[in-house]
Amino acid sequence: DGGITQSPKYLFRKEGQNVTLSCEQNLNHDAMYWYRQDPGQGLRLIYYSQIVNDFQKGDIAEGYSVSREKKESFPLTVTSAQKNPTAFYLCASSISRGSNEQFFGPGTRLTVL
Amino acid sequence: GDSVTQMEGPVTLSEEAFLTINCTYTATGYPSLFWYVQYPGEGLQLLLKATKADDKGSNKGFEATYRKETTSFHLEKGSVQVSDSAVYFCALTDSNYQLIWGAGTKLIIKP
C-alpha cells in the first residue's frame, strides 16, 4: 500500500534535548511538508521541500531543521532552540508543489517533560 | 494575506440531522478550496475540493460549493452518522501553492 509513515507515534523529550521525527513516503511524490498542529488552531507550515536536496522555511521554522537527502524521506529535527515544542506534528506529501492535494501521515505527538 | 475562517466548534448533532459547517475566506486571485477531515488520533484526509467558482465538490455524502460572490465554501451533509464525528478543516491554496488552513471545527454526532 502506498502512503506516508511517521514514527514514532508518541515521543517524549526532556528540555534541552534535540529530537528527530521520521517521515517516509512511497508515493513517489516530489514535494514534502512538515506542519505543526496545536489545539484549537489550524495547521502551521514549518518547512517544505519541492525536490531532493532542497527545502524552504515555512511560517514557523525557528527552532526546527530538516534534510531531504532521499526523495522518500524528510526527517524533522526539533532543536532545543524551539521554545514550546509540545505539539502534534504532521508530515505530508504531494505530487509537486503546485499539486492540489496533499496526503498526510498519521502524525507524531511530541511532549516535552 | 490570505486567510480562512471557520465556525467555532464543537458542533453537536444527533444522528440523521442536517449538517452545515461554515467556511469563509479572503484571498487574492482565484484559490482552490478544500475540506479535510481528521479522525481522532489520525492525520488529515482530503474530503472534497473545488478549483473554480460555482464548482461543487462532493464525497461520502458531503458537499460544498465554491461561492465567489460570498467568498464561502460551506460544508453540508443531509444526514450525519456517528462515524462522521471528527475535526473538519477548511483550507485554500494561495498564489504560492501554500495551503492556508482554518482553525478546524470539531463535530460530535450523538446516537
Side-chain angles (χ1 to χ4, degrees):
Chain A
D1 280 341
I4 301 178
T5 57
Q6 290 186 243
S7 61
K9 190 171 178 63
Y10 300 96
L11 187 57
F12 298 89
R13 188 195 95 174
K14 294 181 180 179
E15 282 195 36
Q17 287 182 335
N18 293 355
V19 288
T20 298
L21 282 58
S22 169
C23 176
E24 304 277 332
Q25 55 100 356
N26 61 4
L27 300 168
N28 200 32
H29 287 172
D30 283 326
M32 297 187 74
Y33 312 81
W34 273 105
Y35 292 96
R36 172 180 170 137
Q37 185 179 19
D38 293 284
Q41 297 188 36
L43 278 65
R44 293 184 289 169
L45 183 64
I46 304 172
Y47 269 97
Y48 66 94
S49 168
Q50 299 185 69
I51 198 166
V52 174
N53 292 324
D54 181 67
F55 47 83
Q56 307 294 329
K57 293 182 178 181
D59 299 320
I60 57 165
E62 185 175 351
Y64 300 97
S65 66
V66 293
S67 63
R68 187 86 187 276
E69 296 177 2
K70 298 185 296 183
K71 186 175 185 177
E72 58 270 24
S73 179
F74 191 42
L76 173 74
T77 296
V78 184
T79 76
S80 56
Q82 170 49 235
K83 297 305 178 190
N84 185 22
T86 295
F88 191 51
Y89 291 88
L90 287 160
C91 179
S93 71
S94 62
I95 293 173
S96 65
R97 176 71 171 146
S99 171
N100 270 325
E101 182 175 358
Q102 293 185 13
F103 295 80
F104 284 80
T108 292
R109 186 165 299 280
L110 173 64
T111 303
V112 174
L113 303 174
Chain B
D2 296 357
S3 66
V4 175
T5 302
Q6 292 181 234
M7 62 190 294
E8 282 193 29
V11 173
T12 303
L13 296 171
S14 297
E15 209 166 17
E16 299 184 3
F18 185 87
L19 168 71
T20 299
I21 299 178
N22 290 338
C23 172
T24 57
Y25 67 91
T26 57
T28 54
Y30 304 95
S32 294
L33 302 174
F34 305 84
W35 278 101
Y36 279 80
V37 59
Q38 184 178 33
Y39 297 103
E42 297 183 10
L44 279 70
Q45 304 172 28
L46 179 65
L47 181 59
L48 53 85
K49 66 181 181 183
T51 57
K52 61 182 188 296
D54 300 324
D55 268 3
K56 177 186 284 189
S58 61
N59 186 25
K60 299 181 181 179
F62 291 89
E63 293 183 340
T65 301
Y66 190 142
R67 301 285 188 201
K68 187 171 181 292
E69 64 276 14
T70 55
T71 62
S72 65
F73 192 55
H74 304 321
L75 183 68
E76 297 182 335
K77 187 176 185 183
S79 176
V80 292
Q81 306 300 314
V82 171
S83 58
D84 294 326
S85 298
V87 181
Y88 292 81
F89 291 91
C90 185
L92 62 80
T93 45
D94 68 9
S95 56
N96 292 318
Y97 304 113
Q98 181 168 330
L99 272 170
I100 307 298
W101 298 88
T105 302
K106 185 173 184 177
L107 175 64
I108 300 169
I109 307 299
K110 296 189 173 181

